[in-house]
Amino acid sequence: MAGTAVLGMAAVVSCQQKDSKNGPYNIVYIMTDDHTAQMMSCYDTRYMETPNLDRIAADGVRFTNSFVANSLSGPSRACMLTGKHSCANRFYDNTTCVFDSTQQTFPKLLQQAGYQTAVIGKWHLESMPTGFDYWEIVPGQGDYYNPDFITMQNGTVHRHGYITDIITDDAIDWMENGRDKEKPFCLLIHHKAIHRNWMADTTYLSLYEDKTFPLPETFYDDYAGRPAAAAQEMSIEKDMDLIYDLKMLAQGKDSRLKRTYETMLSRMDKEQRAAWDRFYNPIIEDFIKKNPQGKELAEWKFQRYMRDYMKTVKSLDENVGRVLDYLEQEGLLENTLVVYTSDQGFYMGEHGWFDKRFMYEESMRTPLIMRLPDRFKRENGLEADGANKGKPRDIPELVQNIDYAPTFLELAGAEIPDDIQGESLVPLLKGEHPDTWRDALYYHFYEYPAEHMVKRHYGIRTDRYKLIHFYNDIDEWELFDLQSDPQELHNLYGQEGYETVTEGLKSRLLDLQEQYDDPVRFSPDRDKE
Ligand code: SGN
Ligand code: CA
């Protein structure tokens, strides 16, 4: 220990040479699972405060029209890594696909450009990560309590604690001790939270219990004119499991997912389990006493769902705060882009649902906020004046998760290969609004038949309209005017007066299917018959 002071001095000196403030930008990309914009106060103030996420937006930008290409974990991650739609990266669904890890991804291209790359947390692509100098991932969906991690040597290590804390600890540890500080870095922090079944850290179990949330206006949607919406199995009322999802272990009836929940509980140590039971047991007793039925039960489930989800977000927000504090303390904010997004959006009771998958707004949308490097802001004349300080700058253009890869490559000064289908967001980050920016987004969801029974569909979303085609064991079109019907309740397809709009959208849809080379296309001729 005697040499610590001397070593400390040396570290200060060499630190000044390292982590160059003028070199290529670092990227810290934080992606959560199933965290929807409704549950972030920088997007929506109705439900909960997320002060640390709001810090990211306040020092940067908030994309107000950010979407995914295929609203499901693995596919979304594959789109993000490759900058390509599912049809091009060939990871269509969570259940049958294995990511071809030999294909081009942005981490590999960043490595070639001299970056150190790392991914920590949920991976969910079946094959092992490639293109990373360091990785540690959770198997499959991972566990909230005392999770296992697969490490680079393919060994499984068991860790004690709550997953959101552990992922953050390891991410900070890699930035501090694991990386080569002479090189720019790109760190992907992939949280398991807020994925089902929303198991909160015991520290936060008591939060939000005094709150009662208004039911979303569409909670009792009857799905009239939308048969695919009617066929789903993701209803809070019918499909949300009392034991597994809402933790009512001994409420009398058994359930399909009881065993899964018990396995999760069995991972807890004595103290964690005691805190868990202390909190949930009185709620179980009260539930048994009240024995709600029908609408009362549906609404009881909604309230519990909201609370558990929010508690899980709370840990996430706190841990994002820790990452921001670390970057600030180390002087890294000068030269580091911090991105926060989710693998897709989520239903918080809208249409009566939980889960995602559909091309309808709540799940196709995904939050996207970025804290811009201080140097980037200075160099692009983006420093907020007094009045705007602390407020995010909104970017309204239509953006999609295939855009992240080219954005990071451009920021790194690397070339963007021609086969990347996304567009770099850098011009938008600089405050430009190019006339040539895309006017429509393409979407394609494949995982059917499968859990939640959301039928296969593809579609197009413009600023104003959405046209969806459900196919496979159904052949149904839906058209929504998002301006007059933002909740997507009134299917206008085939209605008088919408012929021209429909024709135009179909033709643009076909253009997009050609542009992205999607072999699944509708036949315009057959459809005219
Ligand atoms: C699990 C969940 C589903 C969820 C999928 C996909 N069921 O299978 O509710 O839709 O993951 O989610 S569970 O009983 O295992 O919790 S994704 O975000 O990974 O795509
Ligand atoms: Ca997800």
Side-chain angles (χ1 to χ4, degrees), residues 187-256:
L187 167 62
L188 312 184
I189 308 176
H190 285 190
H191 286 286
K192 177 225 168 35
I194 330 298
H195 195 271
R196 190 182 183 190
N197 60 340
W198 321 292
M199 286 175 79
D201 184 348
T202 51
T203 321
Y204 297 121
L205 279 175
S206 61
L207 294 183
Y208 314 116
E209 287 296 317
D210 54 344
K211 287 197 160 54
T212 304
F213 304 96
L215 282 185
E217 281 172 46
T218 57
F219 189 74
Y220 289 114
D221 190 350
D222 63 4
Y223 317 118
R226 288 163 290 140
Q232 68 20 79
E233 293 177 4
M234 48 191 252
S235 141
I236 292 179
E237 182 170 7
K238 297 195 192 82
D239 306 303
M240 187 174 270
D241 193 89
L242 274 173
I243 295 179
Y244 170 73
D245 290 312
L246 301 177
K247 293 91 183 172
M248 298 297 103
L249 190 55
Q251 45 74 50
K253 279 178 255 150
D254 273 2
S255 75
R256 187 175 59 86

Coordinates of all heavy atoms in Angstrom, one line a residue, residues 187-256:
L187 N -20.1 0.8 -25.4 CA -20.6 -0.1 -24.4 C -22.1 -0.3 -24.5 O -22.8 0.7 -24.5 CB -20.2 0.4 -23.0 CG -20.9 -0.3 -21.8 CD1 -20.5 -1.7 -21.7 CD2 -20.5 0.5 -20.5
L188 N -22.6 -1.5 -24.7 CA -24.0 -1.8 -24.7 C -24.5 -2.3 -23.4 O -24.0 -3.4 -23.0 CB -24.4 -2.8 -25.9 CG -23.8 -2.5 -27.2 CD1 -24.3 -3.6 -28.2 CD2 -24.0 -1.1 -27.8
I189 N -25.3 -1.6 -22.7 CA -25.8 -2.1 -21.4 C -27.3 -2.5 -21.7 O -28.1 -1.7 -21.9 CB -25.8 -0.9 -20.4 CG1 -24.4 -0.3 -20.3 CG2 -26.2 -1.4 -19.0 CD1 -24.3 0.9 -19.3
H190 N -27.5 -3.8 -21.7 CA -28.8 -4.4 -22.1 C -29.5 -4.9 -20.8 O -29.2 -6.0 -20.4 CB -28.6 -5.5 -23.1 CG -28.2 -5.0 -24.4 ND1 -28.2 -5.9 -25.5 CD2 -27.9 -3.8 -24.9 CE1 -27.8 -5.2 -26.6 NE2 -27.6 -4.0 -26.3
H191 N -30.4 -4.2 -20.3 CA -31.1 -4.6 -19.1 C -32.2 -5.7 -19.4 O -32.8 -5.7 -20.4 CB -31.8 -3.4 -18.4 CG -30.8 -2.6 -17.7 ND1 -30.2 -3.0 -16.5 CD2 -30.3 -1.4 -18.0 CE1 -29.3 -2.0 -16.2 NE2 -29.3 -1.0 -17.1
K192 N -32.3 -6.6 -18.4 CA -33.5 -7.5 -18.5 C -34.8 -6.8 -18.1 O -35.8 -7.1 -18.7 CB -33.2 -8.7 -17.5 CG -34.4 -9.7 -17.5 CD -34.8 -10.1 -16.1 CE -36.1 -10.8 -16.0 NZ -36.4 -11.7 -17.1
A193 N -34.7 -6.0 -17.1 CA -35.9 -5.2 -16.7 C -36.3 -4.4 -17.9 O -35.5 -4.0 -18.7 CB -35.5 -4.3 -15.5
I194 N -37.6 -4.1 -18.1 CA -38.7 -4.3 -17.3 C -39.6 -5.5 -17.7 O -40.8 -5.4 -17.7 CB -39.6 -3.0 -17.4 CG1 -38.8 -1.8 -17.7 CG2 -40.5 -2.9 -16.2 CD1 -37.8 -1.4 -16.6
H195 N -38.9 -6.5 -18.2 CA -39.6 -7.6 -18.8 C -40.5 -8.3 -17.8 O -40.3 -8.4 -16.6 CB -38.6 -8.6 -19.4 CG -39.2 -9.6 -20.3 ND1 -39.7 -10.8 -19.9 CD2 -39.4 -9.6 -21.6 CE1 -40.1 -11.5 -20.9 NE2 -39.9 -10.8 -22.0
R196 N -41.6 -8.9 -18.3 CA -42.5 -9.8 -17.5 C -41.7 -10.8 -16.7 O -40.7 -11.3 -17.2 CB -43.4 -10.5 -18.5 CG -44.5 -11.3 -17.9 CD -45.2 -12.0 -19.0 NE -46.4 -12.7 -18.5 CZ -47.1 -13.6 -19.2 NH1 -46.8 -13.9 -20.4 NH2 -48.1 -14.2 -18.6
N197 N -41.9 -11.1 -15.5 CA -43.0 -10.8 -14.7 C -42.8 -9.7 -13.7 O -43.4 -9.7 -12.6 CB -43.6 -12.1 -14.0 CG -42.5 -12.6 -13.1 OD1 -41.3 -12.3 -13.2 ND2 -42.9 -13.5 -12.2
W198 N -42.0 -8.6 -14.1 CA -42.0 -7.4 -13.3 C -41.7 -7.7 -11.8 O -42.5 -7.2 -11.0 CB -43.2 -6.6 -13.5 CG -43.7 -6.6 -14.9 CD1 -43.1 -6.1 -16.0 CD2 -44.9 -7.3 -15.4 NE1 -43.7 -6.4 -17.2 CE2 -44.8 -7.1 -16.8 CE3 -45.9 -8.0 -14.9 CZ2 -45.8 -7.7 -17.7 CZ3 -46.9 -8.6 -15.7 CH2 -46.8 -8.4 -17.1
M199 N -40.6 -8.3 -11.5 CA -40.2 -8.6 -10.1 C -39.3 -7.5 -9.7 O -38.2 -7.3 -10.1 CB -39.5 -10.0 -10.0 CG -40.5 -11.1 -10.1 SD -39.7 -12.7 -10.1 CE -39.4 -13.0 -8.4
A200 N -39.8 -6.7 -8.7 CA -39.1 -5.5 -8.2 C -38.0 -5.9 -7.2 O -38.1 -7.0 -6.6 CB -40.1 -4.6 -7.6
D201 N -37.1 -5.0 -7.1 CA -36.1 -5.2 -6.0 C -36.8 -5.0 -4.7 O -37.7 -4.1 -4.5 CB -35.0 -4.0 -6.2 CG -33.9 -4.1 -5.2 OD1 -34.0 -4.9 -4.2 OD2 -32.9 -3.4 -5.5
T202 N -36.5 -5.8 -3.7 CA -37.2 -5.7 -2.4 C -37.1 -4.3 -1.8 O -38.0 -3.9 -1.1 CB -36.6 -6.7 -1.4 OG1 -35.1 -6.5 -1.3 CG2 -36.9 -8.1 -1.7
T203 N -36.0 -3.6 -2.1 CA -35.9 -2.2 -1.6 C -37.1 -1.3 -2.1 O -37.4 -0.3 -1.4 CB -34.6 -1.5 -2.2 OG1 -33.6 -2.5 -2.3 CG2 -34.2 -0.3 -1.5
Y204 N -37.6 -1.6 -3.2 CA -38.7 -0.7 -3.8 C -40.1 -1.3 -3.7 O -41.0 -0.7 -4.3 CB -38.3 -0.4 -5.2 CG -37.0 0.4 -5.4 CD1 -36.0 -0.1 -6.1 CD2 -36.9 1.6 -4.7 CE1 -34.8 0.6 -6.2 CE2 -35.7 2.3 -4.8 CZ -34.6 1.8 -5.5 OH -33.5 2.5 -5.6
L205 N -40.2 -2.4 -3.0 CA -41.6 -3.1 -3.0 C -42.7 -2.2 -2.5 O -43.8 -2.3 -3.0 CB -41.5 -4.4 -2.2 CG -40.9 -5.6 -2.9 CD1 -40.8 -6.8 -2.0 CD2 -41.7 -5.9 -4.2
S206 N -42.4 -1.3 -1.5 CA -43.4 -0.6 -0.9 C -43.8 0.7 -1.7 O -44.8 1.3 -1.4 CB -43.1 -0.2 0.5 OG -41.9 0.6 0.4
L207 N -43.1 1.0 -2.8 CA -43.4 2.2 -3.5 C -44.8 2.1 -4.3 O -45.2 1.0 -4.7 CB -42.3 2.5 -4.6 CG -41.0 2.8 -4.1 CD1 -40.0 3.1 -5.2 CD2 -41.0 4.0 -3.1
Y208 N -45.4 3.2 -4.5 CA -46.5 3.4 -5.4 C -47.8 2.7 -4.9 O -48.8 2.6 -5.6 CB -46.3 2.9 -6.9 CG -44.9 3.4 -7.4 CD1 -43.9 2.6 -7.7 CD2 -44.7 4.8 -7.6 CE1 -42.7 3.0 -8.2 CE2 -43.5 5.3 -8.1 CZ -42.5 4.4 -8.4 OH -41.3 4.8 -8.9
E209 N -47.8 2.2 -3.7 CA -48.9 1.4 -3.2 C -50.1 2.4 -2.9 O -51.3 1.9 -2.8 CB -48.6 0.6 -2.0 CG -47.7 -0.6 -2.3 CD -48.5 -1.6 -3.2 OE1 -49.6 -1.9 -3.0 OE2 -47.8 -2.1 -4.2
D210 N -49.8 3.6 -2.7 CA -50.9 4.6 -2.3 C -51.5 5.2 -3.6 O -52.4 6.0 -3.5 CB -50.4 5.7 -1.5 CG -49.2 6.4 -2.1 OD1 -48.6 5.8 -3.0 OD2 -48.8 7.5 -1.6
K211 N -51.0 4.7 -4.8 CA -51.5 5.4 -6.0 C -52.6 4.5 -6.7 O -52.5 3.3 -6.7 CB -50.4 5.5 -7.0 CG -49.4 6.6 -6.6 CD -48.6 7.0 -7.8 CE -47.9 8.3 -7.8 NZ -47.1 8.7 -6.8
T212 N -53.6 5.1 -7.2 CA -54.6 4.4 -8.0 C -54.5 5.1 -9.4 O -54.6 6.3 -9.5 CB -56.0 4.6 -7.4 OG1 -55.9 4.1 -6.1 CG2 -57.0 3.7 -8.2
F213 N -54.4 4.3 -10.4 CA -54.2 4.8 -11.8 C -55.5 4.8 -12.6 O -56.2 3.8 -12.5 CB -53.1 4.0 -12.5 CG -51.9 3.9 -11.7 CD1 -51.6 2.9 -10.9 CD2 -51.0 5.0 -11.7 CE1 -50.4 2.8 -10.1 CE2 -49.8 5.0 -11.0 CZ -49.5 3.9 -10.1
P214 N -55.7 5.9 -13.3 CA -56.9 5.9 -14.2 C -56.8 4.8 -15.2 O -55.7 4.6 -15.8 CB -56.9 7.3 -14.8 CG -55.5 7.8 -14.6 CD -54.9 7.1 -13.5
L215 N -57.9 4.2 -15.5 CA -57.9 3.1 -16.6 C -57.6 3.8 -17.9 O -58.2 4.9 -18.2 CB -59.2 2.4 -16.7 CG -59.6 1.4 -15.7 CD1 -60.9 0.8 -16.1 CD2 -58.5 0.3 -15.6
P216 N -56.8 3.2 -18.8 CA -56.7 3.8 -20.1 C -58.1 3.8 -20.8 O -58.9 2.9 -20.6 CB -55.8 2.9 -20.9 CG -55.1 2.1 -19.8 CD -56.0 2.0 -18.6
E217 N -58.3 4.9 -21.6 CA -59.7 5.0 -22.3 C -60.1 3.8 -23.1 O -61.2 3.5 -23.2 CB -59.6 6.2 -23.2 CG -59.8 7.5 -22.5 CD -59.6 8.7 -23.5 OE1 -60.2 8.6 -24.6 OE2 -58.8 9.6 -23.1
T218 N -59.1 3.0 -23.6 CA -59.4 1.9 -24.4 C -59.3 0.6 -23.7 O -59.3 -0.5 -24.3 CB -58.4 1.8 -25.6 OG1 -57.0 1.7 -25.1 CG2 -58.5 3.0 -26.5
F219 N -59.3 0.6 -22.4 CA -59.2 -0.6 -21.5 C -60.2 -1.6 -21.9 O -60.0 -2.8 -22.0 CB -59.2 -0.3 -20.1 CG -58.9 -1.4 -19.2 CD1 -57.6 -1.8 -19.0 CD2 -59.9 -2.1 -18.4 CE1 -57.2 -2.9 -18.2 CE2 -59.5 -3.1 -17.6 CZ -58.2 -3.5 -17.5
Y220 N -61.5 -1.2 -22.2 CA -62.6 -2.1 -22.5 C -62.9 -2.1 -24.0 O -64.0 -2.2 -24.4 CB -63.8 -1.8 -21.7 CG -63.7 -2.1 -20.2 CD1 -63.6 -1.1 -19.2 CD2 -63.5 -3.4 -19.8 CE1 -63.5 -1.4 -17.9 CE2 -63.3 -3.8 -18.5 CZ -63.3 -2.8 -17.5 OH -63.2 -3.1 -16.2
D221 N -61.8 -2.0 -24.8 CA -61.9 -2.1 -26.3 C -62.7 -3.3 -26.7 O -62.4 -4.4 -26.1 CB -60.5 -2.1 -26.8 CG -60.5 -1.9 -28.3 OD1 -61.5 -2.0 -29.0 OD2 -59.3 -1.8 -28.9
D222 N -63.7 -3.2 -27.6 CA -64.4 -4.4 -28.0 C -63.9 -5.0 -29.4 O -64.4 -5.9 -29.9 CB -65.9 -4.1 -28.1 CG -66.2 -3.1 -29.2 OD1 -65.2 -2.6 -29.9 OD2 -67.4 -2.7 -29.3
Y223 N -62.8 -4.3 -29.9 CA -62.1 -4.8 -31.1 C -63.0 -4.9 -32.3 O -62.7 -5.7 -33.3 CB -61.4 -6.2 -30.9 CG -60.7 -6.2 -29.5 CD1 -61.0 -7.2 -28.6 CD2 -59.6 -5.3 -29.2 CE1 -60.4 -7.2 -27.3 CE2 -59.0 -5.4 -28.0 CZ -59.4 -6.3 -27.1 OH -58.7 -6.4 -25.9
A224 N -64.1 -4.1 -32.3 CA -65.0 -4.2 -33.5 C -64.3 -3.8 -34.7 O -63.6 -2.8 -34.8 CB -66.2 -3.2 -33.2
G225 N -64.5 -4.6 -35.8 CA -63.8 -4.3 -37.1 C -62.4 -4.6 -37.1 O -61.7 -4.3 -38.1
R226 N -61.8 -5.3 -36.1 CA -60.4 -5.6 -36.0 C -60.3 -7.0 -35.5 O -59.9 -7.3 -34.4 CB -59.7 -4.6 -35.1 CG -59.5 -3.2 -35.7 CD -59.2 -2.2 -34.6 NE -60.3 -2.0 -33.8 CZ -60.2 -1.8 -32.4 NH1 -59.1 -1.9 -31.8 NH2 -61.3 -1.7 -31.7
P227 N -60.6 -8.0 -36.4 CA -60.6 -9.4 -35.9 C -59.2 -9.9 -35.4 O -59.2 -10.7 -34.5 CB -61.0 -10.2 -37.2 CG -60.9 -9.3 -38.3 CD -61.0 -7.9 -37.8
A228 N -58.1 -9.4 -35.9 CA -56.8 -9.9 -35.4 C -56.6 -9.3 -34.0 O -56.0 -10.0 -33.2 CB -55.7 -9.3 -36.3
A229 N -57.1 -8.1 -33.7 CA -56.9 -7.6 -32.4 C -57.8 -8.4 -31.4 O -57.4 -8.6 -30.3 CB -57.3 -6.1 -32.4
A230 N -58.9 -8.9 -31.9 CA -59.8 -9.7 -31.1 C -59.2 -11.0 -30.7 O -59.5 -11.6 -29.7 CB -61.2 -9.8 -31.7
A231 N -58.4 -11.5 -31.6 CA -57.9 -12.9 -31.5 C -56.7 -13.1 -30.6 O -56.2 -14.2 -30.3 CB -57.5 -13.5 -32.9
Q232 N -56.1 -12.0 -30.1 CA -54.9 -12.0 -29.3 C -55.1 -12.7 -27.9 O -56.2 -12.8 -27.5 CB -54.2 -10.7 -29.2 CG -54.9 -9.5 -28.4 CD -55.9 -9.8 -27.3 OE1 -55.6 -10.2 -26.2 NE2 -57.2 -9.5 -27.7
E233 N -54.0 -13.1 -27.3 CA -54.1 -13.6 -25.9 C -53.1 -12.9 -25.1 O -52.1 -13.4 -24.6 CB -53.8 -15.1 -25.9 CG -54.8 -15.9 -26.7 CD -54.5 -17.4 -26.8 OE1 -53.5 -17.9 -26.2 OE2 -55.3 -18.2 -27.4
M234 N -53.4 -11.6 -24.9 CA -52.6 -10.7 -24.1 C -53.4 -9.8 -23.3 O -53.0 -8.6 -23.0 CB -51.5 -10.0 -24.9 CG -51.9 -9.3 -26.1 SD -50.5 -8.8 -27.2 CE -50.6 -7.1 -26.9
S235 N -54.6 -10.3 -22.9 CA -55.5 -9.4 -22.2 C -55.2 -9.4 -20.7 O -55.0 -10.5 -20.1 CB -56.9 -9.9 -22.5 OG -57.7 -9.8 -21.4
I236 N -55.2 -8.3 -20.1 CA -55.0 -8.2 -18.6 C -56.1 -9.0 -17.9 O -55.8 -9.8 -17.0 CB -55.0 -6.7 -18.1 CG1 -53.7 -6.0 -18.7 CG2 -55.0 -6.7 -16.6 CD1 -53.6 -4.6 -18.3
E237 N -57.3 -8.8 -18.4 CA -58.4 -9.5 -17.8 C -58.3 -11.0 -17.9 O -58.5 -11.8 -17.0 CB -59.7 -9.0 -18.4 CG -61.0 -9.6 -17.8 CD -62.3 -8.9 -18.2 OE1 -62.2 -8.0 -19.1 OE2 -63.3 -9.3 -17.7
K238 N -58.1 -11.5 -19.2 CA -58.2 -12.9 -19.4 C -56.8 -13.7 -19.3 O -56.8 -14.9 -18.9 CB -58.7 -13.2 -20.8 CG -60.1 -12.7 -21.0 CD -60.7 -13.3 -22.3 CE -62.0 -12.6 -22.8 NZ -61.7 -11.4 -23.5
D239 N -55.8 -13.1 -19.7 CA -54.5 -13.8 -19.9 C -53.4 -13.5 -18.8 O -52.4 -14.2 -18.7 CB -53.9 -13.6 -21.3 CG -54.9 -13.9 -22.4 OD1 -55.4 -15.0 -22.4 OD2 -55.3 -13.0 -23.2
M240 N -53.6 -12.4 -18.1 CA -52.5 -12.1 -17.1 C -52.7 -13.0 -15.9 O -53.8 -13.2 -15.4 CB -52.7 -10.6 -16.7 CG -51.6 -10.2 -15.8 SD -51.7 -8.4 -15.4 CE -50.7 -7.8 -16.7
D241 N -51.6 -13.7 -15.5 CA -51.7 -14.7 -14.6 C -51.6 -14.2 -13.1 O -50.7 -13.4 -12.8 CB -50.5 -15.7 -14.8 CG -50.7 -17.0 -14.1 OD1 -51.3 -17.9 -14.6 OD2 -50.2 -17.1 -12.9
L242 N -52.6 -14.6 -12.3 CA -52.7 -14.0 -11.0 C -51.4 -14.4 -10.1 O -51.0 -13.6 -9.3 CB -53.9 -14.6 -10.2 CG -55.2 -13.8 -10.5 CD1 -56.4 -14.5 -9.8 CD2 -55.1 -12.4 -9.9
I243 N -50.9 -15.6 -10.4 CA -49.8 -16.1 -9.6 C -48.5 -15.5 -10.1 O -47.7 -14.8 -9.5 CB -49.8 -17.6 -9.4 CG1 -51.0 -18.1 -8.7 CG2 -48.5 -18.1 -8.8 CD1 -51.1 -19.6 -8.5
Y244 N -48.2 -15.9 -11.4 CA -46.9 -15.6 -12.0 C -46.8 -14.0 -12.2 O -45.7 -13.5 -11.9 CB -46.8 -16.3 -13.3 CG -45.7 -15.9 -14.2 CD1 -44.4 -16.3 -13.9 CD2 -45.9 -15.2 -15.4 CE1 -43.4 -16.0 -14.7 CE2 -44.9 -14.9 -16.3 CZ -43.6 -15.3 -15.9 OH -42.6 -15.0 -16.8
D245 N -47.8 -13.4 -12.8 CA -47.7 -12.0 -13.1 C -47.9 -11.1 -11.9 O -47.3 -10.1 -11.7 CB -48.6 -11.6 -14.2 CG -48.2 -12.2 -15.6 OD1 -47.1 -12.1 -15.9 OD2 -49.1 -12.8 -16.2
L246 N -48.9 -11.5 -11.1 CA -49.3 -10.6 -10.0 C -48.9 -11.1 -8.6 O -49.3 -10.5 -7.6 CB -50.8 -10.3 -10.2 CG -51.1 -9.7 -11.5 CD1 -52.6 -9.5 -11.7 CD2 -50.4 -8.4 -11.7
K247 N -48.2 -12.2 -8.6 CA -47.6 -12.7 -7.3 C -48.6 -13.2 -6.2 O -48.2 -13.2 -5.0 CB -46.6 -11.7 -6.7 CG -45.4 -11.4 -7.6 CD -45.7 -10.3 -8.6 CE -44.5 -10.0 -9.5 NZ -44.9 -9.1 -10.6
M248 N -49.8 -13.6 -6.6 CA -50.8 -14.0 -5.6 C -50.7 -15.5 -5.4 O -51.5 -16.3 -5.8 CB -52.2 -13.6 -6.1 CG -52.4 -12.1 -6.2 SD -52.3 -11.2 -4.7 CE -50.7 -10.5 -4.8
L249 N -49.6 -15.9 -4.8 CA -49.2 -17.3 -4.8 C -50.2 -18.2 -4.2 O -50.6 -19.2 -4.8 CB -47.9 -17.5 -4.0 CG -47.2 -18.8 -4.1 CD1 -47.0 -19.3 -5.5 CD2 -45.9 -18.8 -3.4
A250 N -50.7 -17.9 -3.0 CA -51.6 -18.8 -2.3 C -53.1 -18.4 -2.4 O -53.8 -18.4 -1.4 CB -51.2 -19.0 -0.9
Q251 N -53.5 -17.9 -3.6 CA -54.8 -17.3 -3.6 C -55.9 -18.3 -3.8 O -57.1 -17.9 -4.1 CB -54.9 -16.1 -4.6 CG -54.3 -16.4 -5.9 CD -55.1 -17.3 -6.8 OE1 -56.3 -17.1 -7.0 NE2 -54.4 -18.3 -7.4
G252 N -55.6 -19.6 -3.7 CA -56.7 -20.6 -3.9 C -56.5 -21.4 -5.1 O -56.0 -22.6 -5.1
K253 N -56.7 -20.8 -6.3 CA -56.6 -21.6 -7.6 C -55.2 -21.7 -8.0 O -54.4 -20.7 -7.9 CB -57.4 -20.9 -8.6 CG -58.9 -21.2 -8.5 CD -59.7 -20.4 -9.6 CE -60.4 -19.3 -9.0 NZ -60.7 -18.1 -9.7
D254 N -54.8 -22.8 -8.6 CA -53.5 -22.9 -9.3 C -53.5 -22.3 -10.6 O -54.6 -22.1 -11.2 CB -53.1 -24.4 -9.4 CG -52.4 -24.8 -8.1 OD1 -52.4 -24.0 -7.1 OD2 -52.1 -26.0 -8.0
S255 N -52.4 -22.1 -11.2 CA -52.4 -21.6 -12.6 C -51.3 -22.2 -13.4 O -50.4 -22.8 -12.8 CB -52.2 -20.0 -12.5 OG -50.8 -19.8 -12.3
R256 N -51.4 -22.0 -14.7 CA -50.4 -22.6 -15.6 C -49.0 -22.2 -15.3 O -48.1 -23.0 -15.5 CB -50.8 -22.1 -17.0 CG -50.1 -22.7 -18.2 CD -50.7 -22.3 -19.5 NE -50.6 -20.8 -19.7 CZ -49.6 -20.1 -20.1 NH1 -48.5 -20.8 -20.5 NH2 -49.6 -18.8 -20.3

